[in-house]
Amino acid sequence: MSFQGFSNVDLSSIAIDDGPMRETLQTGRHEVTITEATINDGKEGKKDLVLSYNNDNGSIRQWLTIYDPKTVKNDAGVEQQPEYVNINWVQIKKLLKFTGYEADETPDPSYFVGKKVGINIKQSEYMGKKQLRVNYHWMPDAAASGGPEDKIPF
């Protein structure tokens, strides 16, 4: 099937959510729930872990490239993944730790769905455009303490 243009596309089978449009989370720290986690085909043969984060204030999506077919040689001449892929794996390992995962092998991406985590969003420039992106994860206070604490003084 080829692209036939925008006009006269049958929308009768397209379901939509009648709820309000979700705002994009803005810069700063946010406690969120991971609502989607998939492995997608990226550009140029890359593979990305795609995570969707949501809370009452909005949502944001993060793409972490986990495989790049274009390898680089290290100082010893050995082919390896580019540094940005290694940085993404460090971020994924920290995210797994913050969600309570302790095994040495990665779980299925569906493991992340429903997990609560803290994210920090910053604005950066990419190809001349300003964009918001998740630049690190953190453990929400309730998760770090094992849950909310009762502060009654007796």
Side-chain angles (χ1 to χ4, degrees), residues 1-118:
M1 176 180 207
S2 63
F3 182 68
Q4 302 295 315
F6 187 79
S7 298
N8 300 316
V9 174
D10 180 9
L11 300 176
S12 63
S13 65
I14 307 295
I16 61 170
D17 177 1
D18 289 332
M21 292 284 291
R22 296 205 48 88
E23 297 290 324
T24 300
L25 291 171
Q26 297 300 305
T27 58
R29 290 166 59 95
H30 302 272
E31 289 189 25
V32 295
T33 300
I34 300 172
T35 56
E36 290 182 84
T38 59
I39 302 296
N40 288 1
D41 294 330
K43 297 177 183 175
E44 303 171 346
K46 297 175 183 176
K47 298 290 183 187
D48 299 323
L49 172 63
V50 183
L51 300 167
S52 296
Y53 306 97
N54 290 289
N55 69 15
D56 291 341
N57 297 316
S59 62
I60 194 165
R61 185 169 283 164
Q62 179 181 31
W63 288 262
L64 292 161
T65 300
I66 58 173
Y67 171 77
D68 187 336
K70 296 179 183 174
T71 58
V72 295
K73 289 187 177 185
N74 64 15
D75 294 338
V78 177
E79 296 278 331
Q80 64 182 30
Q81 289 288 287
E83 185 62 22
Y84 79 95
V85 174
N86 296 328
I87 290 169
N88 287 345
W89 278 111
V90 168
Q91 192 171 20
I92 291 166
K93 187 169 183 177
K94 287 180 181 179
L95 176 59
L96 286 167
K97 178 182 175 189
F98 296 152
T99 61
Y101 191 81
E102 296 183 14
D104 288 332
E105 291 80 29
T106 56
D108 184 84
S110 63
Y111 164 83
F112 290 105
V113 176
K115 301 291 189 275
K116 297 195 182 307
V117 68

